[in-house]
Amino acid sequence: MSILVFFKLLGSLALLMFGMKSMSESLQKMAGPQLRHVLGAMTTNRITGMLTGMLVTASVQSSTATTVMTVSFVNAGLLTLAQAISVIMGANIGTTLTAWIMSAGMSFNITDMVYPAFFLGIVLIYLKKYRYIGDFLFGLAFLILGLGTLRMTGTEMDLGHNEALLNFFSSFDPNSFLTTIIFLILGGIMTFCVQSSAAVMAITMILCGSGALPIYQGIALVLGENIGTTVTSNLAALSANTQARRAALAHMFFNVFGVIWILIFFHTFVDGVVALVDWAGNALGYDMANANSTIKLTFVLAAFHTCFNVVNTFILIWFIPQIERFVCWVIKPKKVDEEEDFRLHFITAGFMKTPELSVLEAQKEISSFSERMQRMFGMVRELLQEKDDAKFAKLFTRIEKYESISDNMEIEIAKYLDQVSDAHLSDDTKAKIRAMLREISELESIGDACYNMARTISRKVQGKQEHFTERQYEHMHQMMQLTDDALTQMNTLMNGRKISFDVNRTFNLENEINNFRNQLKSQNIADVNNHVYTYGIGTIYMDLINECEKLGDYVVNVVEARMGTRQKEA
């Protein structure tokens, strides 16, 4: 095989992989929010969950995208782990459509279609309004061009008459169980190395279609590809949270279990698939007895891939509760006090995601950030009332850690959003990212305000200053309650839907906080002049009141950023 032919093979595989990626990403950009709503709404039981996973994966041509979306929903509490397992089972069936597309591309010369698709795609991209349809057509054209080039390269390589290759494959006994295991492991390793099950499937189709590789070994490679793709997702999930690792393990369990039972009935099952392809071909008017081996064997591989996943799903779908218990038993939650440990919960670096999915994860992380800031404010309220010195010191240390965590969260989420913004984004996604960057900046300011209040209280205690009066305590508790109500409203928005949120309640609370601050400011001047308390304690008192008012402003800024609105100036 010449160097030129070798690079043709690599280049056509690269075109195939790029085309698949472009198609998947453009379809998700066109229907990203709708896909999320479909996944959330159509998983009421195991059957609808399986059908949903199948349809979504067949639509976006990416089981990884479906799996990552599903895991994000589990993290957010929108799906149970059991529902997620049913969706992942469906995704395994949906991804088999890729094999049928490839078998059609390997069997027939369809490359003439690519040139009109390229032309129409570039026109639609420049129209901007339809650029995602253009991106999809470009991806489809690259996919077809890659398949066509692979087909021609396979013919040019004439693998069916390559003595070295034929001798290598003939050295394995096709009826030996050991041979099946060797090729299964080889398929898994190839998929893990290439990071693309589609590429391994294409190579297998070339080898089988040329007659170089017997069908039994080719199918063993396909089985190995099913294992290899789950190893990748499990390694990616190592740095993720407990539910993500459980979902990845469930995916691996599904495929490993399928491979185990099919090895028991291997030759019988393969012969049954071949008979099914012959029957279907004859029913459609083709003489399958005299069919071209390339056409027949590529369709046998695609049919096996589909039958394997359909039968495996039919067996395991009735045991989803047992699978859930198994993965929960294997992967225990980490016993870490989240107050003392900084870790992003929803953003996982290991999975390959589209911007639409990345934005969803970032939104969940920001919601978690927002809730953490309200807990931090709750600690400040406790600190104000704490009389015991040891407990006071411990609580102040926790607030310091929270302040450090808020700084880290802002930096890490901003870094993640910066990476996402490097991708080709829609105008809507760009606007979301800008809003989220503003949200995390304002949330970090809330953390700073809480820390400032804690330091002010600590300064008073360390300085052995006089106690606040009962009236001052009462006013501070009233102000802090208003501020906490504002934080509650903010978190209601961050964890809910914009359409159902009444933004005027937040603005009204802010006006109430401002008016109360102004009232207390005037009252403080009068009380100091009347020697109700000293100027020093009055200053500390007003510092806390003013910091609450600033915190209320930051809350309004977060709400405005999320809602995409601005409060009308008075």
Side-chain angles (χ1 to χ4, degrees):
M1 182 170 60
S2 70
I3 296 294
L4 179 61
V5 173
F6 177 71
F7 278 111
K8 266 190 188 177
L9 178 67
L10 291 182
S12 53
L13 283 171
L15 273 176
L16 172 73
M17 291 161 69
F18 179 75
M20 293 285 293
K21 183 173 181 287
S22 298
M23 279 175 65
S24 176
E25 288 186 355
S26 57
L27 280 164
Q28 287 175 72
K29 285 174 188 173
M30 279 191 279
Q34 286 75 18
L35 286 177
R36 294 209 304 271
H37 296 152
V38 164
L39 271 176
M42 289 182 61
T43 52
T44 51
N45 59 60
R46 66 188 77 183
I47 302 298
T48 57
M50 183 268 292
L51 291 172
T52 302
M54 185 174 71
L55 292 171
V56 169
T57 305
S59 300
V60 301
Q61 283 295 290
S62 172
S63 58
T64 302
T66 307
T67 304
V68 174
M69 259 194 287
T70 305
V71 169
S72 298
F73 275 163
V74 174
N75 292 343
L78 299 176
L79 287 180
T80 64
L81 182 60
Q83 288 172 318
I85 292 169
S86 68
V87 172
I88 290 168
M89 286 181 177
N92 274 272
I93 297 175
T95 197
T96 62
L97 179 63
T98 306
W100 287 103
I101 294 170
M102 291 170 65
S103 64
M106 292 284 188
S107 304
F108 311 106
N109 186 12
I110 52 176
T111 50
D112 292 342
M113 292 170 54
V114 303
Y115 305 108
F118 276 132
F119 174 74
L120 187 56
I122 199 69
V123 170
L124 292 172
I125 287 170
Y126 276 105
L127 286 174
K128 288 202 172 179
K129 184 180 177 183
Y130 302 104
R131 65 180 178 272
Y132 298 137
I133 301 174
D135 287 341
F136 171 76
L137 285 174
F138 252 71
L140 180 62
F142 276 123
L143 170 66
I144 293 170
L145 186 61
L147 287 171
T149 311
L150 265 177
R151 179 173 172 270
M152 288 186 286
T153 307
T155 306
E156 192 176 336
M157 289 164 70
D158 194 20
L159 296 175
H161 296 93
N162 186 310
E163 287 298 321
L165 199 64
L166 288 170
N167 289 336
F168 173 74
F169 287 131
S170 63
S171 65
F172 295 95
D173 179 5
N175 297 312
S176 168
F177 182 74
L178 180 62
T179 298
T180 305
I181 296 297
I182 290 170
F183 277 84
L184 188 150
I185 294 169
L186 184 62
I189 292 170
M190 286 170 66
T191 305
F192 177 71
C193 294
V194 178
Q195 294 284 297
S196 170
S197 56
V200 177
M201 177 64 84
I203 292 168
T204 307
M205 284 184 173
I206 287 176
L207 290 169
C208 288
S210 65
L213 181 66
I215 190 64
Y216 290 119
Q217 280 97 311
I219 283 174
L221 284 178
V222 173
L223 285 176
E225 167 226 307
N226 277 274
I227 302 288
T229 195
T230 64
V231 171
T232 303
S233 63
N234 272 271
L235 287 175
L238 284 177
S239 60
N241 57 38
T242 303
Q243 292 294 67
R245 288 183 293 126
R246 284 172 175 171
L249 179 62
H251 189 199
M252 175 176 268
F253 175 85
F254 174 84
N255 283 350
V256 170
F257 177 85
V259 167
I260 289 170
W261 72 255
I262 210 153
L263 285 174
I264 298 170
F265 306 103
F266 185 66
H267 287 84
T268 306
F269 194 87
V270 174
D271 292 343
V273 171
V274 172
L276 181 65
V277 170
D278 285 341
W279 174 82
N282 290 326
L284 292 170
Y286 296 101
D287 181 7
M288 297 306 289
N290 299 310
N292 182 296
S293 64
T294 301
I295 296 173
K296 183 173 177 178
L297 291 177
T298 52
F299 278 111
V300 166
L301 285 169
F304 172 83
H305 197 208
T306 302
C307 290
F308 165 71
N309 282 289
V310 168
V311 174
N312 200 29
T313 298
F314 181 78
I315 293 169
L316 288 178
I317 200 165
W318 314 109
F319 299 98
I320 286 176
Q322 287 77 14
I323 296 171
E324 181 183 21
R325 283 200 293 273
F326 172 73
V327 296
C328 289
W329 173 74
V330 172
I331 300 177
K332 304 284 194 302
K334 293 177 182 176
K335 294 180 180 177
V336 176
D337 183 358
E338 68 167 289
E339 267 65 281
E340 310 300 330
D341 176 65
F342 163 67
R343 183 172 63 86
L344 296 179
H345 290 268
F346 301 100
I347 291 172
T348 50
F351 286 110
M352 293 298 292
K353 296 175 286 289
T354 61
E356 182 65 43
L357 291 168
S358 301
V359 167
L360 172 68
E361 289 194 342
Q363 280 177 344
K364 299 300 176 192
E365 202 66 70
I366 292 169
S367 297
S368 173
F369 189 4
S370 176
E371 289 170 356
R372 196 185 284 263
M373 290 303 95
Q374 186 168 13
R375 287 200 299 274
M376 185 180 182
F377 183 70
M379 289 178 205
V380 174
R381 295 181 74 181
E382 285 179 43
L383 194 73
L384 183 63
Q385 302 174 73
E386 189 56 65
K387 305 299 182 189
D388 184 271
D389 288 346
K391 289 181 180 177
F392 184 95
K394 186 178 179 182
L395 193 53
F396 182 74
T397 302
R398 284 184 71 197
I399 292 170
E400 279 187 312
K401 285 184 178 177
Y402 258 65
E403 203 279 330
S404 174
I405 286 170
S406 73
D407 290 343
N408 287 332
M409 288 193 80
E410 182 195 16
I411 291 165
E412 292 301 319
I413 296 171
K415 257 193 232 174
Y416 182 73
L417 290 172
D418 187 49
Q419 290 171 357
V420 174
S421 63
D422 288 339
H424 179 59
L425 305 173
S426 66
D427 294 336
D428 183 47
T429 304
K430 285 178 187 172
K432 282 181 185 174
I433 289 175
R434 283 195 299 270
M436 286 192 284
L437 287 169
R438 185 182 172 208
E439 285 167 25
I440 59 173
S441 174
E442 299 296 341
L443 285 169
E444 195 276 332
S445 296
I446 291 174
D448 288 343
C450 291
Y451 185 50
N452 289 339
M453 293 169 75
R455 285 196 302 176
T456 300
I457 297 167
S458 179
R459 195 166 60 245
K460 172 188 169 295
V461 171
Q462 299 289 336
K464 306 291 183 184
Q465 300 212 28
E466 63 187 284
H467 293 300
F468 293 119
T469 66
E470 286 298 321
R471 196 173 175 193
Q472 282 178 315
Y473 271 120
E474 185 183 335
H475 288 155
M476 281 189 291
H477 288 315
Q478 286 176 348
M479 176 60 95
M480 287 183 169
Q481 185 58 54
L482 286 171
T483 308
D484 194 60
D485 289 345
L487 286 165
T488 300
Q489 283 294 305
M490 177 184 77
N491 280 313
T492 300
L493 170 63
M494 301 300 270
N495 291 298
R497 297 184 69 182
K498 291 194 290 187
I499 195 166
S500 60
F501 183 76
D502 182 7
V503 75
N504 289 321
R505 292 184 67 183
T506 297
F507 293 153
N508 291 339
L509 271 170
E510 169 62 7
N511 289 333
E512 202 173 334
I513 289 170
N514 288 343
N515 293 336
F516 193 40
R517 187 275 313 265
N518 294 337
Q519 177 191 330
L520 294 179
K521 190 176 180 181
S522 301
Q523 183 69 51
N524 179 63
I525 294 169
D527 287 344
V528 170
N529 288 336
N530 293 329
H531 305 290
V532 175
Y533 44 78
T534 63
Y535 180 82
I537 202 70
T539 302
I540 292 173
Y541 166 64
M542 282 313 298
D543 281 347
L544 293 172
I545 297 297
N546 286 326
E547 209 64 58
C548 281
E549 191 276 329
K550 279 186 196 172
L551 199 154
D553 289 340
Y554 300 139
V555 168
V556 170
N557 292 341
V558 172
V559 170
E560 286 177 346
R562 177 53 66 100
M563 295 293 291
T565 59
R566 287 273 183 190
Q567 186 176 7
K568 292 179 181 176
E569 298 293 334

